[in-house]
PDB file of all heavy atoms in Angstrom:
ATOM      1  N   SER N 705      83.400 124.946  98.563  1.00 92.00           N
ATOM      2  CA  SER N 705      82.722 124.643  97.295  1.00 92.00           C
ATOM      3  C   SER N 705      81.906 125.840  96.812  1.00 92.00           C
ATOM      4  O   SER N 705      81.867 126.141  95.608  1.00 92.00           O
ATOM      5  CB  SER N 705      81.801 123.431  97.472  1.00 92.00           C
ATOM      6  OG  SER N 705      82.538 122.276  97.786  1.00 92.00           O
ATOM      7  N   ARG N 706      81.268 126.533  97.750  1.00 92.00           N
ATOM      8  CA  ARG N 706      80.406 127.660  97.379  1.00 92.00           C
ATOM      9  C   ARG N 706      81.208 128.790  96.731  1.00 92.00           C
ATOM     10  O   ARG N 706      80.846 129.309  95.670  1.00 92.00           O
ATOM     11  CB  ARG N 706      79.669 128.181  98.618  1.00 92.00           C
ATOM     12  CG  ARG N 706      78.812 129.417  98.347  1.00 92.00           C
ATOM     13  CD  ARG N 706      78.081 129.859  99.598  1.00 92.00           C
ATOM     14  NE  ARG N 706      78.959 130.003 100.744  1.00 92.00           N
ATOM     15  CZ  ARG N 706      79.792 131.029 100.937  1.00 92.00           C
ATOM     16  NH1 ARG N 706      79.863 131.997 100.045  1.00 92.00           N
ATOM     17  NH2 ARG N 706      80.530 131.084 102.018  1.00 92.00           N
ATOM     18  N   VAL N 707      82.359 129.161  97.355  1.00 92.00           N
ATOM     19  CA  VAL N 707      83.128 130.281  96.799  1.00 92.00           C
ATOM     20  C   VAL N 707      83.771 129.884  95.473  1.00 92.00           C
ATOM     21  O   VAL N 707      83.998 130.735  94.605  1.00 92.00           O
ATOM     22  CB  VAL N 707      84.211 130.778  97.787  1.00 92.00           C
ATOM     23  CG1 VAL N 707      83.575 131.323  99.050  1.00 92.00           C
ATOM     24  CG2 VAL N 707      85.233 129.696  98.106  1.00 92.00           C
ATOM     25  N   TRP N 708      84.055 128.592  95.309  1.00 91.00           N
ATOM     26  CA  TRP N 708      84.607 128.119  94.029  1.00 91.00           C
ATOM     27  C   TRP N 708      83.595 128.348  92.903  1.00 91.00           C
ATOM     28  O   TRP N 708      83.944 128.885  91.845  1.00 91.00           O
ATOM     29  CB  TRP N 708      84.973 126.644  94.157  1.00 91.00           C
ATOM     30  CG  TRP N 708      85.437 126.001  92.872  1.00 91.00           C
ATOM     31  CD1 TRP N 708      84.706 125.250  92.021  1.00 91.00           C
ATOM     32  CD2 TRP N 708      86.745 126.075  92.302  1.00 91.00           C
ATOM     33  NE1 TRP N 708      85.442 124.829  90.946  1.00 91.00           N
ATOM     34  CE2 TRP N 708      86.720 125.325  91.095  1.00 91.00           C
ATOM     35  CE3 TRP N 708      87.935 126.699  92.681  1.00 91.00           C
ATOM     36  CZ2 TRP N 708      87.827 125.189  90.278  1.00 91.00           C
ATOM     37  CZ3 TRP N 708      89.044 126.557  91.870  1.00 91.00           C
ATOM     38  CH2 TRP N 708      88.990 125.817  90.685  1.00 91.00           C
ATOM     39  N   LYS N 709      82.357 127.970  93.153  1.00 87.00           N
ATOM     40  CA  LYS N 709      81.310 128.148  92.136  1.00 87.00           C
ATOM     41  C   LYS N 709      81.036 129.624  91.886  1.00 87.00           C
ATOM     42  O   LYS N 709      80.864 130.059  90.743  1.00 87.00           O
ATOM     43  CB  LYS N 709      80.036 127.429  92.579  1.00 87.00           C
ATOM     44  CG  LYS N 709      80.157 125.916  92.611  1.00 87.00           C
ATOM     45  CD  LYS N 709      78.872 125.282  93.120  1.00 87.00           C
ATOM     46  CE  LYS N 709      79.006 123.770  93.184  1.00 87.00           C
ATOM     47  NZ  LYS N 709      77.773 123.125  93.734  1.00 87.00           N
ATOM     48  N   ASP N 710      81.004 130.408  92.961  1.00 87.00           N
ATOM     49  CA  ASP N 710      80.734 131.833  92.822  1.00 87.00           C
ATOM     50  C   ASP N 710      81.829 132.529  92.015  1.00 87.00           C
ATOM     51  O   ASP N 710      81.553 133.388  91.167  1.00 87.00           O
ATOM     52  CB  ASP N 710      80.618 132.494  94.193  1.00 87.00           C
ATOM     53  CG  ASP N 710      79.374 132.060  94.943  1.00 87.00           C
ATOM     54  OD1 ASP N 710      78.493 131.439  94.306  1.00 87.00           O
ATOM     55  OD2 ASP N 710      79.298 132.324  96.166  1.00 87.00           O
ATOM     56  N   ALA N 711      83.077 132.134  92.257  1.00 85.00           N
ATOM     57  CA  ALA N 711      84.188 132.768  91.558  1.00 85.00           C
ATOM     58  C   ALA N 711      84.145 132.460  90.071  1.00 85.00           C
ATOM     59  O   ALA N 711      84.389 133.342  89.233  1.00 85.00           O
ATOM     60  CB  ALA N 711      85.518 132.304  92.153  1.00 85.00           C
ATOM     61  N   LEU N 712      83.831 131.216  89.720  1.00 77.00           N
ATOM     62  CA  LEU N 712      83.727 130.851  88.312  1.00 77.00           C
ATOM     63  C   LEU N 712      82.595 131.609  87.638  1.00 77.00           C
ATOM     64  O   LEU N 712      82.697 132.004  86.470  1.00 77.00           O
ATOM     65  CB  LEU N 712      83.514 129.336  88.178  1.00 77.00           C
ATOM     66  CG  LEU N 712      84.686 128.432  88.593  1.00 77.00           C
ATOM     67  CD1 LEU N 712      84.325 126.975  88.373  1.00 77.00           C
ATOM     68  CD2 LEU N 712      85.949 128.782  87.815  1.00 77.00           C
ATOM     69  N   SER N 713      81.529 131.830  88.385  1.00 75.00           N
ATOM     70  CA  SER N 713      80.390 132.564  87.831  1.00 75.00           C
ATOM     71  C   SER N 713      80.757 134.018  87.554  1.00 75.00           C
ATOM     72  O   SER N 713      80.432 134.587  86.503  1.00 75.00           O
ATOM     73  CB  SER N 713      79.206 132.497  88.801  1.00 75.00           C
ATOM     74  OG  SER N 713      78.135 133.272  88.336  1.00 75.00           O
ATOM     75  N   VAL N 714      81.474 134.647  88.483  1.00 70.00           N
ATOM     76  CA  VAL N 714      81.891 136.038  88.324  1.00 70.00           C
ATOM     77  C   VAL N 714      82.858 136.183  87.157  1.00 70.00           C
ATOM     78  O   VAL N 714      82.823 137.147  86.385  1.00 70.00           O
ATOM     79  CB  VAL N 714      82.547 136.555  89.625  1.00 70.00           C
ATOM     80  CG1 VAL N 714      83.206 137.909  89.397  1.00 70.00           C
ATOM     81  CG2 VAL N 714      81.515 136.651  90.733  1.00 70.00           C
ATOM     82  N   LEU N 715      83.747 135.178  87.015  1.00 62.00           N
ATOM     83  CA  LEU N 715      84.726 135.220  85.932  1.00 62.00           C
ATOM     84  C   LEU N 715      84.127 134.827  84.596  1.00 62.00           C
ATOM     85  O   LEU N 715      84.794 134.850  83.568  1.00 62.00           O
ATOM     86  CB  LEU N 715      85.891 134.267  86.264  1.00 62.00           C
ATOM     87  CG  LEU N 715      86.748 134.662  87.479  1.00 62.00           C
ATOM     88  CD1 LEU N 715      87.725 133.549  87.816  1.00 62.00           C
ATOM     89  CD2 LEU N 715      87.489 135.975  87.212  1.00 62.00           C
ATOM     90  N   ASP N 716      82.848 134.476  84.635  1.00 57.00           N
ATOM     91  CA  ASP N 716      82.135 134.053  83.429  1.00 57.00           C
ATOM     92  C   ASP N 716      82.845 132.887  82.738  1.00 57.00           C
ATOM     93  O   ASP N 716      82.983 132.845  81.522  1.00 57.00           O
ATOM     94  CB  ASP N 716      81.991 135.230  82.448  1.00 57.00           C
ATOM     95  CG  ASP N 716      80.910 134.941  81.400  1.00 57.00           C
ATOM     96  OD1 ASP N 716      80.009 134.126  81.694  1.00 57.00           O
ATOM     97  OD2 ASP N 716      80.994 135.510  80.291  1.00 57.00           O
ATOM     98  N   GLU N 717      83.334 131.941  83.597  1.00 62.00           N
ATOM     99  CA  GLU N 717      83.980 130.741  83.071  1.00 62.00           C
ATOM    100  C   GLU N 717      83.001 129.573  83.144  1.00 62.00           C
ATOM    101  O   GLU N 717      82.086 129.564  83.982  1.00 62.00           O
ATOM    102  CB  GLU N 717      85.241 130.412  83.871  1.00 62.00           C
ATOM    103  CG  GLU N 717      86.349 131.446  83.713  1.00 62.00           C
ATOM    104  CD  GLU N 717      87.633 131.001  84.392  1.00 62.00           C
ATOM    105  OE1 GLU N 717      87.662 129.880  84.929  1.00 62.00           O
ATOM    106  OE2 GLU N 717      88.610 131.785  84.373  1.00 62.00           O
ATOM    107  N   PRO N 718      83.163 128.576  82.257  1.00 66.00           N
ATOM    108  CA  PRO N 718      82.258 127.424  82.295  1.00 66.00           C
ATOM    109  C   PRO N 718      82.390 126.691  83.616  1.00 66.00           C
ATOM    110  O   PRO N 718      83.457 126.676  84.225  1.00 66.00           O
ATOM    111  CB  PRO N 718      82.728 126.568  81.120  1.00 66.00           C
ATOM    112  CG  PRO N 718      84.134 126.995  80.870  1.00 66.00           C
ATOM    113  CD  PRO N 718      84.187 128.444  81.220  1.00 66.00           C
ATOM    114  N   PRO N 719      81.302 126.082  84.093  1.00 66.00           N
ATOM    115  CA  PRO N 719      81.357 125.352  85.364  1.00 66.00           C
ATOM    116  C   PRO N 719      82.421 124.244  85.308  1.00 66.00           C
ATOM    117  O   PRO N 719      82.510 123.520  84.331  1.00 66.00           O
ATOM    118  CB  PRO N 719      79.956 124.750  85.510  1.00 66.00           C
ATOM    119  CG  PRO N 719      79.164 125.226  84.355  1.00 66.00           C
ATOM    120  CD  PRO N 719      80.011 126.003  83.432  1.00 66.00           C
ATOM    121  N   SER N 720      83.196 124.188  86.355  1.00 80.00           N
ATOM    122  CA  SER N 720      84.251 123.180  86.455  1.00 80.00           C
ATOM    123  C   SER N 720      84.273 122.670  87.888  1.00 80.00           C
ATOM    124  O   SER N 720      84.445 123.461  88.824  1.00 80.00           O
ATOM    125  CB  SER N 720      85.606 123.785  86.084  1.00 80.00           C
ATOM    126  OG  SER N 720      86.642 122.864  86.302  1.00 80.00           O
TER     127      SER N 720
END
Side-chain angles (χ1 to χ4, degrees):
S705 296
R706 176 178 51 76
V707 297
W708 175 262
K709 292 177 181 178
D710 291 347
L712 293 181
S713 176
V714 170
L715 294 172
D716 197 25
E717 293 187 3
S720 174

